[in-house]
């Protein structure tokens, strides 16, 4: 069952009202070498294979919809991913629950970067961050902007984590009461009367706090719009590009704010990799999306470098207190979800029609024989016409998502 279909069937089910911690003390493990070890000062269930399953019990006071929060730690600095499936009361609730991503976290070994004998900067070693981190389960391909919902009945329920790939230490599970993300209008209304900050802050993109995978590369651009720049030397002055495109991959930075106030954000970027398309990122500050418009910030196709300010001529303002804050950009495909689902439905229909035609004419077609397919498939003409209309509709939807139909093709 598709997630969207399950959401429709749960339309009358209320959101859970409070967070419910899941006890890890009482569990049932099958076909895995689960060990209890200390991660920092916490007891963790260390699961060093991508095999087996472990089941926990949780009591829920009232039937409701919850997000699932996982507190976990990676057990190595290898580049492989961590994936686990989730079953509720012995079954996968909907398609996609077979594999959820638990992002790893890596930190540069040094910054500023080391240089070689020619003065060129050397890409730093990536150290795995082996301390605990927390995440809400998201749709694996990032086609949903918000954390996934799960239905729990009143009384005792079970949550089963199933092995997919990678080793992981589980430090905690929580049924999280879903939080509604406000619109920008609702968000900014909370800060009426707050002053605009006078400080301008610049953070070099290559000076990161963490990245979710070693695959996201530091890059060198000999371009006057990119800093730092030094003639005759290759400096690592950017990050991402074609290496930062996988669903849920993120980069995060620490921003030291000198004064409390309202700020707007600007990004010096180039996006010449997705021809004619917009690349989207979810923007979180201190682990939360401040408002809906930041669930999917679009970076339009742009072959050269230039400044992009979310909100354009009326930039979105964010309220920041003085001190350190963490800003994260994560890959999301949510704006393309409706077009993707519609396209997939048309392609599935085309495949079914192709198979039916093959059953009629055989796999080795006779080029000298003319088939009157309408005799065997009376609705073929209107079926094909409907598919064409659907494909045109997908084309129009993509145009709306990226803001233009230019260069989308015909």
């Amino acid at each position: 069952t598709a997630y969207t279909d399950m959401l429709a069937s749960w339309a009358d089910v209320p959101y859970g009202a409070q967070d419910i911690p899941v006890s890890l003390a009482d569990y049932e493990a099958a076909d895995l070498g689960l060990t209890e070890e200390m991660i920092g000062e916490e007891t963790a269930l260390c699961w060093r294979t991508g095999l087996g399953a472990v089941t926990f019990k949780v009591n829920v006071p009232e039937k409701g919809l919850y997000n699932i929060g996982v507190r976990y730690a990676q057990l190595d600095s290898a580049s492989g991913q961590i994936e686990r499936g989730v079953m509720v009361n012995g079954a996968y609730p909907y398609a996609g629950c077979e594999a959820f991503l638990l992002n790893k976290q890596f930190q540069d070994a040094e910054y500023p970067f080391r240089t070689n004998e020619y003065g060129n900067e050397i890409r730093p070693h990536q150290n795995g961050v082996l301390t605990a981190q927390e995440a809400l389960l998201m749709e694996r391909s990032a086609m949903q902007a918000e954390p996934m919902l799960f239905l729990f009945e009143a009384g005792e329920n079970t949550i089963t984590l199933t092995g997919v790939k990678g080793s992981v230490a589980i430090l905690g599970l929580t049924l999280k009461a879903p939080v509604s993300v406000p619109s920008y209008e609702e968000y900014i209304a909370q800060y009426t009367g707050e002053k605009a900050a006078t400080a301008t802050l610049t953070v070099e993109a290559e000076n990161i706090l963490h990245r979710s995978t070693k695959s996201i590369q530091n890059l060198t651009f000999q371009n006057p719009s990119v800093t730092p720049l030094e003639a005759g030397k290759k400096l690592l002055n950017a990050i991402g590009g074609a290496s930062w495109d996988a669903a849920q991959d993120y980069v995060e930075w620490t921003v030291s704010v000198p004064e409390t106030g309202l700020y707007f954000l600007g990004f010096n970027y180039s996006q010449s990799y997705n021809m004619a398309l917009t690349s989207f990122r979810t923007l979180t500050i201190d682990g939360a999306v401040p408002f809906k418009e930041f669930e999917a910030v679009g970076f339009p196709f742009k072959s050269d470098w230039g400044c992009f300010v979310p909100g354009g001529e009326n930039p979105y303002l964010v309220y920041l207190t003085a001190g350190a804050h963490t800003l994260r950009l994560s890959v999301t495909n949510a704006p393309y979800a409706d077009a993707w689902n519609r396209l997939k439905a048309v392609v599935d229909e085309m495949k079914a029609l192709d198979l039916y035609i093959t059953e009629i004419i055989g796999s080795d077609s006779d080029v000298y024989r003319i088939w009157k397919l309408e005799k065997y498939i009376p609705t073929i003409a209107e079926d094909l016409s409907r598919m064409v209309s659907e494909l045109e509709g997908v084309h129009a939807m993509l145009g709306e998502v990226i803001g233009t139909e230019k260069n989308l093709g015909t």
Side-chain angles (χ1 to χ4, degrees):
T1 305
Y3 178 62
T4 51
D5 294 336
M6 289 305 299
L7 284 183
S9 70
W10 295 338
D12 297 329
V13 181
Y15 283 174
Q18 60 186 25
D19 294 351
I20 302 174
V22 178
S23 173
L24 303 188
D26 182 20
Y27 61 87
E28 295 181 7
D31 301 325
L32 70 158
L34 203 65
T35 58
E36 295 186 14
E37 302 176 25
M38 297 300 292
I39 301 291
E41 298 182 354
E42 299 179 72
T43 301
L45 301 179
C46 294
W47 188 349
R48 299 185 182 277
T49 70
L51 305 174
V54 57
T55 299
F56 306 94
K57 296 178 182 178
V58 59
N59 283 298
V60 177
E62 295 181 0
K63 179 179 179 179
L65 298 176
Y66 292 85
N67 302 133
I68 294 180
V70 184
R71 184 170 170 79
Y72 68 99
Q74 64 196 71
L75 293 172
D76 56 56
S77 294
S79 57
Q81 295 175 324
I82 302 170
E83 291 184 4
R84 291 296 183 270
V86 174
M87 304 173 76
V88 175
N89 295 324
Y92 293 116
Y94 42 80
C97 288
E98 299 83 1
F100 286 102
L101 177 67
L102 297 176
N103 265 316
K104 287 189 171 183
Q105 201 168 74
F106 297 91
Q107 193 170 42
D108 289 349
E110 70 272 328
Y111 184 85
F113 305 123
R114 292 183 297 114
T115 58
N116 61 19
E117 64 270 29
Y118 305 107
N120 299 326
E121 289 184 335
I122 302 169
R123 284 178 175 168
H125 179 74
Q126 300 298 307
N127 295 325
V129 179
L130 306 184
T131 53
Q133 56 180 307
E134 296 185 14
L136 296 176
L137 296 182
M138 303 291 293
E139 199 273 330
R140 181 63 183 84
S141 58
M143 286 290 184
Q144 297 290 329
E146 298 181 349
M148 306 299 276
L149 293 168
F150 297 83
L151 174 65
F152 288 89
E153 301 290 345
E156 186 176 270
N157 296 260
T158 61
I159 300 176
T160 301
L161 302 182
T162 58
V164 181
K165 64 169 66 171
S167 59
V168 66
I170 304 296
L171 292 90
L173 290 174
T174 305
L175 305 190
K176 304 284 287 187
V179 177
S180 295
V181 178
S183 66
Y184 176 68
E185 185 178 355
E186 293 168 331
Y187 169 84
I188 202 63
Q190 304 172 63
Y191 302 105
T192 301
E194 294 290 345
K195 65 177 182 178
T198 59
T200 298
L201 312 176
T202 300
V203 177
E204 294 292 346
E206 67 277 6
N207 183 14
I208 69 166
L209 175 62
H210 298 124
R211 69 188 82 194
S212 60
T213 171
K214 295 179 180 180
S215 299
I216 301 174
Q217 295 293 312
N218 293 88
L219 304 171
T220 295
F221 286 91
Q222 299 291 344
N223 188 304
S225 297
V226 185
T227 60
L229 183 67
E230 188 173 343
K233 295 182 179 179
K234 294 182 178 180
L235 304 184
L236 299 172
N237 53 11
I239 191 169
S243 66
W244 186 13
D245 65 348
Q248 299 190 52
D249 275 358
Y250 68 79
V251 179
E252 62 183 13
W253 300 264
T254 295
V255 180
S256 296
V257 177
E259 62 175 298
T260 297
L262 294 168
Y263 293 79
F264 68 84
L265 306 177
F267 299 89
N268 184 28
Y269 87 104
S270 173
Q271 198 283 91
S272 58
Y273 305 95
N274 287 334
M275 290 293 291
L277 295 178
T278 297
S279 293
F280 289 94
R281 297 292 182 269
T282 297
L283 195 160
T284 62
I285 298 174
D286 297 331
V289 179
F291 44 83
K292 279 281 186 183
E293 288 78 358
F294 274 6
E295 287 184 336
V297 178
F299 290 81
F301 175 79
K302 185 178 179 64
S303 59
D304 201 0
W305 287 86
C307 185
F308 165 68
V309 177
E313 294 181 358
N314 297 301
Y316 299 131
L317 300 174
V318 294
Y319 179 76
L320 298 175
T321 56
H325 295 272
T326 301
L327 187 151
R328 176 185 291 190
L329 290 176
S330 308
V331 176
T332 180
N333 299 311
Y336 290 112
D338 289 343
W340 165 255
N341 291 331
R342 192 171 173 182
L343 178 61
K344 185 177 183 301
V346 177
V347 171
D348 289 344
E349 192 175 1
M350 293 171 69
K351 287 180 178 178
L353 179 59
D354 178 64
L355 181 61
Y356 191 19
I357 291 174
T358 301
E359 290 176 355
I360 295 170
I361 69 175
S363 56
D364 297 323
S365 58
D366 184 349
V367 297
Y368 299 105
R369 183 171 181 178
I370 298 175
W371 289 89
K372 295 182 179 180
L373 290 175
E374 294 90 341
K375 177 180 177 181
Y376 301 93
I377 313 174
T379 62
I380 189 169
E382 59 185 76
D383 290 344
L384 290 172
S385 178
R386 185 182 66 258
M387 292 177 199
V388 169
S389 296
E390 279 294 293
L391 291 174
E392 290 174 343
V394 171
H395 182 273
M397 289 178 71
L398 287 173
E400 292 175 2
V401 169
I402 67 174
T404 176
E405 294 191 23
K406 182 179 179 181
N407 293 330
L408 275 178
T410 57

